[in-house]
Amino acid sequence: MDCIFCKIAGHEMAANIVFEDDDVMAFRDINPQAPIHLLIVPKKHLGSIMEINEENGEIINKIIRTAQNLARQNNIDSKGFRLVVNTGNDGGQTVGHLHFHLLGGRFMTWPPG
Ligand code: AMP
């Protein structure tokens, strides 16, 4: 499958990787929207949050734990941050591999637009 985040997860494409274990990878967004903008992805391909089910749902726990650790490492755990999962066309999803944006280092406005 021609999926850029699968290629990054498989080390076939370069990225600025900040964390990796057997199931999860985190890397810097190529077009950052905040001083800290990381993407956290499952290594196994899932198209979007809509593909999460009872069998594979543990990956969400792992991703959230990774987000917590990365927030601590980047010193934004107390100040706050935003964790975003754009889903589908109206949700603004442009890469068809589930990813969580971890955004921080500035004040986030609402609504997101
Ligand atoms: P979304 O619009 O929610 O699907 O987010 C996709 C994100 O992936 C965007 O913020 C892009 O800047 C980012 N992105 C696309 N290609 C790469 C890449 N090769 N390395 C890192 N980030 C990327």
Side-chain angles (χ1 to χ4, degrees):
M1 190 195 299
D2 200 27
C3 168
I4 53 171
F5 289 178
C6 282
K7 286 183 181 160
I8 289 173
H11 294 273
E12 293 164 40
M13 188 185 277
N16 194 333
I17 296 165
V18 295
F19 173 80
E20 176 176 15
D21 67 12
D22 287 347
D23 304 309
V24 174
M25 182 175 271
F27 49 93
R28 294 194 189 282
D29 196 293
I30 207 167
N31 183 23
Q33 301 301 313
I36 297 156
H37 187 171
L38 307 176
L39 299 174
I40 309 170
V41 309
K43 284 191 169 178
K44 183 171 167 260
H45 185 85
L46 291 166
S48 82
I49 202 84
M50 292 308 295
E51 293 183 15
I52 293 294
N53 58 38
E54 209 158 321
E55 268 119 63
N56 63 20
E58 179 57 22
I59 191 67
I60 298 300
N61 186 27
K62 289 180 176 166
I63 288 171
I64 298 296
R65 302 284 300 282
T66 300
Q68 291 174 335
N69 289 334
L70 290 169
R72 286 188 202 101
Q73 282 168 27
N74 285 277
N75 210 25
I76 55 172
D77 52 324
S78 305
K79 282 186 278 192
F81 56 87
R82 191 166 284 174
L83 202 53
V84 175
V85 187
N86 296 327
T87 304
N89 194 49
D90 275 7
Q93 183 177 5
T94 59
V95 176
H97 181 128
L98 175 62
H99 51 282
F100 285 58
H101 296 256
L102 175 61
L103 296 144
R106 67 168 170 83
F107 184 81
M108 302 288 162
T109 57
W110 192 266

